[in-house]
Amino acid sequence: MNKNIQGHLAALTANILWGLMAPVGKSALAEFSALSVTTFRMVGAAACFWLLSLFCKREQVDHRDMLKIFFASLFALVFNQGVYIFGLSMTSPIDASIVTTTLPIVTMIVAALYLKEPVTNKKVLGIFVGAMGALILIMSSGHAGSGGGSIAGDLLCLTAQISFSVYLTVFKGLSQKYSPVTMNKWMFVYASMCYIPFSYHDIASIQWEGISAAALAQVGYVVVGGSFLAYICIMTAQRLLRPTVVSMYNYMQPIVASAVTVIIGMAAFNLEKGIAIALVFLGVYIVTQSKSRKDFEQEGKEV
């Protein structure tokens, strides 16, 4: 398969899996604490990746890169997925998913600061339009009709997106140097080490006999679908595509999550959310249509 197509399919698959995370994860939080779900996710995914690594070619990680992988795990997992779960526990699935569509805009800003990507008029316009959409969503979450949303929860979900944008941009070199399995098995181990000391009490106090089979299945999806499979896909995409292109696929998340939550009656879709989605999508489109640093350099060579 063409590597470019492979990268796009991997990014699309990862974001479909994450789109289902909002309604499924929200249901699991009815019987488990956010800290418990996050720890199950980190430890469970770490076990899956280490098991998979037994059947893959062994890669030796440079000891100098281990520290970089630790910081990568902080931005990609601890500050991203952990904070997202806490935000999701405080807000509605639709609100949480719409906030995730700001990732391409945030990634453009981080890329401009770190990779020296040019800031064009299109990028500025796209950032403004997308920010207006996110602002409408956050403000509407304070209203009773927001389907369980909250400003604090939405801001936590936004913080998670900022963290992941840093990971996509700053740690792209690591994802190209090592395979997704090698990267993930160490990243999830580090993330587990960060969460276990703080979640021990929560997990020890769980009354397992009172936990439903549905809740266990939902946690299983969070571990296998939303973590193990999704992170294999997103790191494959990160190796093959530019950070801004990878982040663009986040628009699939609110589509998937909104469809599921409305169908099962967990939340209502109103006009404000529709306007917010339209503005964020428009902002993402404008930003991703702007020229990259490589485009400008190529034009300079042709001149």
Side-chain angles (χ1 to χ4, degrees), residues 141-184:
S141 294
H143 301 160
S146 62
S150 76
I151 293 177
D154 290 342
L155 289 176
L156 283 175
C157 291
L158 180 60
T159 300
Q161 302 316 302
I162 295 172
S163 174
F164 198 64
S165 70
V166 171
Y167 163 72
L168 286 177
T169 306
V170 176
F171 298 98
K172 179 176 174 62
L174 279 177
S175 68
Q176 293 178 318
K177 187 174 182 179
Y178 301 107
S179 72
V181 175
T182 298
M183 281 286 292
N184 277 307

Side-chain angles (χ1 to χ4, degrees), residues 75-120:
F75 286 101
L77 299 173
V78 178
F79 299 147
N80 171 240
Q81 296 302 323
V83 172
Y84 177 77
I85 288 290
F86 278 97
L88 181 60
S89 69
M90 300 169 64
T91 191
S92 70
I94 289 181
D95 286 8
S97 296
I98 296 175
V99 169
T100 65
T101 61
T102 61
L103 179 62
I105 298 169
V106 177
T107 302
M108 276 290 182
I109 297 174
V110 176
L113 296 174
Y114 185 77
L115 299 178
K116 308 303 180 184
E117 285 284 340
V119 178
T120 64

